[in-house]
Amino acid sequence: MNIIFATSNLNKLKEIENLIPKDINLNNLKDLNFNEEIPENEKTIEGNAIYKAKFIHTKFNVNVFADDTGLEVEALNGEPGVYSARYAGKECNSHKNIEKLLKNLINNKNRRARFKTIIALILNGKLYQFEGIVNGLISHSSKGNKGFGYDPVFVPEGYSKSFSELSLYEKNKISHRSIAVKKLISFISKQLN
Ligand code: IMP
């Protein structure tokens, strides 16, 4: 089966490619010669994932899935959430986003947070959703150099290392995205049999 992952984020592609079985032929937006950014203007993580999948389905009439992820920090009432990518403003990057997060949590003892991924799949014209959540704590400073985004300050529950200190293999065993992807793969595999 051919399926498009509606992303141009190479980090996400690398994570997901390792999980997809060989009978699913995974392509991405570059394979469609689509090099634009799909707008992410919805107010929820679910909304953004669905918007991205529908956008590509409408344009190319292909089987497609899209993901959207947010970091939800308990002491910040779920922020940055759907705004995780642009938390520090328009000209932000991961470094600035982390800086703002640590500043907003300074002296705060409650470091509880979770990553939430929603995958929206459009298969044969029908929409399906899959969720993946990983709980953890926000550290007081960045640690490690692997991964991307908020990985250097996210310490998953039961671990003492941040996501950035774990190998891709270790992150994939427990991450929000891998939980959602495994649900997606199990669903698609049932459709193939
Ligand atoms: P996106 O909209 O799914 O690309 O995710 C929004 C933002 O969440 C990204 O720009 C990253 O900052 C952050 N993010 C998403 N997934 C991860 C992850 O696996 N680790 C760390 N940060 C992530």
Side-chain angles (χ1 to χ4, degrees), residues 20 24 32 35 42 61 63 97 103 105 118 134 166:
I20 296 276
I24 300 175
L32 292 175
N35 295 307
E42 301 299 310
N61 194 24
N63 290 325
N97 286 340
K103 207 168 143 206
L105 279 178
I118 297 290
V134 60
L166 299 180

Side-chain angles (χ1 to χ4, degrees), residues 12 40 68-69 84-85 115 148-151 171 176-177:
K12 286 185 182 179
E40 294 190 11
D68 199 55
T69 295
S84 294
F115 273 117
F148 69 103
Y150 297 89
D151 279 349
K171 182 181 173 188
H176 45 301
R177 191 168 303 98

Side-chain angles (χ1 to χ4, degrees), residues 99-139:
E99 213 172 57
K100 177 169 176 184
L101 178 68
L102 294 182
K103 207 168 143 206
N104 284 345
L105 279 178
I106 215 159
N107 297 330
N108 204 319
K109 288 210 174 77
N110 180 3
R111 317 293 295 187
R112 278 199 291 273
R114 64 181 200 171
F115 273 117
K116 180 167 109 177
T117 290
I118 297 290
I119 292 180
L121 165 73
I122 301 182
L123 187 67
N124 302 326
K126 269 196 179 163
L127 175 69
Y128 306 89
Q129 275 186 67
F130 308 90
E131 184 184 75
I133 287 176
V134 60
N135 292 304
L137 297 173
I138 302 298
S139 55

